[in-house]
Amino acid sequence: MASHLNHTETVMRSSRTKAIKQHVFGALSTTLIFAAAGAWAQPVYPQKPVRMIVPFPPGGGIDHVTRVLAPKLAKAWGKPVVVENLPGAAGSVGAERISKSTPDGHALLLTGDAAMTTNVALYPALKYDPTRDFAPITMIAVMPNIVVVHPSLPVKSMKQLVALAKARPDEISYASAGAGTSQHLGAELLKSVSGVDMLHVPYKGNAQILPDLLAGRVAVWFGTMVNTLPLVHEGKVRALAVTSATRVSSAPEMPTVAESGFPGFEAVAWAGLLAPARTPDAVVHKIHDEVIRAIALREVQAKFVDAGMEIVGNSPDDFAARIKSEITTKGKLVKAAGAKAD
């Protein structure tokens, strides 16, 4: 009898063990099937050429960043990265185009800060919302400007420029690449903190400014480093100061505006990459990671530093937070300076 019970118990144990193994195997198989299905469903990116909109004309700092970065991304992805310049309204025209593009990562915006921050205050009827209509990827670099003047202007320092502008109100003209750009707001900030009046002459981009600046038709420019440094070295324009909080490594001999008698002065631009809102997170992070790898290359860093840029490469969340913060801070600056869209 005992032997019969032992045999029965052994059979029952074997059956339970077999059932447990079958359950575990079944669950594991289901997990693997779903995992495989997820992997198969994950889109391969990119599947076609990537279009990168630059909302400014060729030749400026943002365009420079794009032309350096695009070939590196094309090589990594095995697909062309086509750069398209679409200027207008301080970057708003190109930004609006991307905000309405298919959110699959094949249409990207490489823009300056104005389109994502100051334009909110400058353009009441802006046709996109920077915090709602975009998926920030990364801020690539920060770009200070240089205050330069035509050699015919009898000034060699920021204090002398302010003194001359006070003596000749609304006679000293300054150029910018458009209302709301760091060039425009930098000059407006100087006007606000010094009490001077200068005449704003807006252009559609940096390339259009240069002929008039070199001919003396405009006197002052808070110009991008990539455009102004060669002209300074050639003696075609005179540099007064840089607009960053600290001196830049590419031109350490130049004082800052803050050092030149205007403490706390800072007016810099940045270059950042964004996709349309609702772009899949996996695609956003893949683009982010590849951009970070590209800007870590020595040859890329050298080209950025030579142009007076400070490399950033932050996370999508940090970039989104920066945009949100600057909408507030630069909006206050626009209001305080009385800046208007031209």
Side-chain angles (χ1 to χ4, degrees):
M1 182 68 177
S3 176
H4 176 71
L5 289 173
N6 289 339
H7 175 72
T8 301
E9 186 177 349
T10 300
V11 170
M12 291 177 66
R13 283 200 197 101
S14 177
S15 298
R16 283 198 300 272
T17 300
K18 184 176 181 180
I20 291 170
K21 289 181 177 179
Q22 288 176 337
H23 174 74
V24 171
F25 179 76
L28 181 60
S29 297
T30 302
T31 300
L32 291 173
I33 289 170
F34 277 112
W40 293 331
Q42 186 69 39
V44 175
Y45 177 87
Q47 297 178 331
K48 57 184 179 181
V50 176
R51 184 165 56 103
M52 191 174 287
I53 293 289
V54 180
F56 299 99
I62 303 300
D63 187 67
H64 176 74
V65 170
T66 312
R67 303 289 172 177
V68 171
L69 187 60
K72 302 302 180 185
L73 297 179
K75 182 178 180 181
W77 291 334
K79 298 288 184 183
V81 176
V82 181
V83 177
E84 179 182 348
N85 295 87
L86 190 63
S92 295
V93 173
E96 181 187 351
R97 174 76 60 85
I98 290 298
S99 73
K100 294 176 170 58
S101 297
T102 303
D104 60 4
H106 292 93
L108 303 173
L109 177 72
L110 206 160
T111 185
D113 51 298
M116 293 292 110
T117 59
T118 52
N119 284 6
V120 175
L122 282 169
Y123 295 89
L126 203 63
K127 296 181 180 179
Y128 59 88
D129 185 326
T131 62
R132 184 189 64 209
D133 296 335
F134 296 89
I137 297 171
T138 188
M139 182 189 294
I140 297 168
V142 170
M143 302 178 293
N145 293 326
I146 306 178
V147 185
V148 296
V149 298
H150 187 267
S152 65
L153 204 67
V155 300
K156 294 184 179 180
S157 70
M158 292 301 297
K159 285 187 176 180
Q160 290 179 359
L161 173 62
V162 167
L164 184 65
K166 284 184 176 180
R168 296 163 53 183
D170 283 327
E171 290 184 28
I172 307 299
S173 60
Y174 76 89
S176 84
T181 60
S182 65
Q183 301 170 20
H184 177 209
L185 290 186
E188 291 294 330
L189 179 58
L190 179 65
K191 288 169 59 177
S192 178
V193 300
S194 65
V196 301
D197 289 316
M198 294 190 295
L199 178 64
H200 182 208
V201 183
Y203 292 77
K204 291 184 178 181
N206 296 322
Q208 287 71 39
I209 293 171
L210 293 174
D212 283 356
L213 178 69
L214 295 178
R217 288 187 285 270
V218 287
V220 183
W221 186 29
F222 282 58
T224 59
M225 301 278 290
V226 67
N227 290 118
T228 53
L229 269 180
L231 300 178
V232 171
H233 293 154
E234 293 169 12
K236 294 181 178 179
V237 296
R238 183 182 301 125
L240 303 184
V242 294
T243 62
S244 50
T246 59
R247 297 194 182 199
V248 296
S249 58
S250 56
E253 73 284 0
M254 291 184 195
T256 66
V257 176
E259 286 179 290
S260 304
F262 306 94
F265 187 100
E266 183 181 17
V268 298
W270 48 253
L273 188 65
L274 304 98
R278 297 175 298 282
T279 299
D281 287 345
V283 172
V284 168
H285 286 285
K286 182 170 183 179
I287 298 170
H288 172 272
D289 292 348
E290 202 57 64
V291 170
I292 297 303
R293 278 190 285 270
I295 63 178
L297 297 172
R298 285 188 178 182
E299 60 185 288
V300 171
Q301 291 187 353
K303 290 179 180 178
F304 285 175
V305 171
D306 286 347
M309 301 178 185
E310 179 184 347
I311 296 171
V312 181
N314 57 3
S315 70
D317 288 343
D318 287 344
F319 188 22
R322 174 75 176 255
I323 291 171
K324 187 175 181 180
S325 174
E326 286 195 9
I327 288 174
T328 300
T329 58
K330 291 187 176 180
K332 291 178 180 178
L333 175 60
V334 168
K335 184 177 180 180
K340 303 292 183 182
D342 292 284

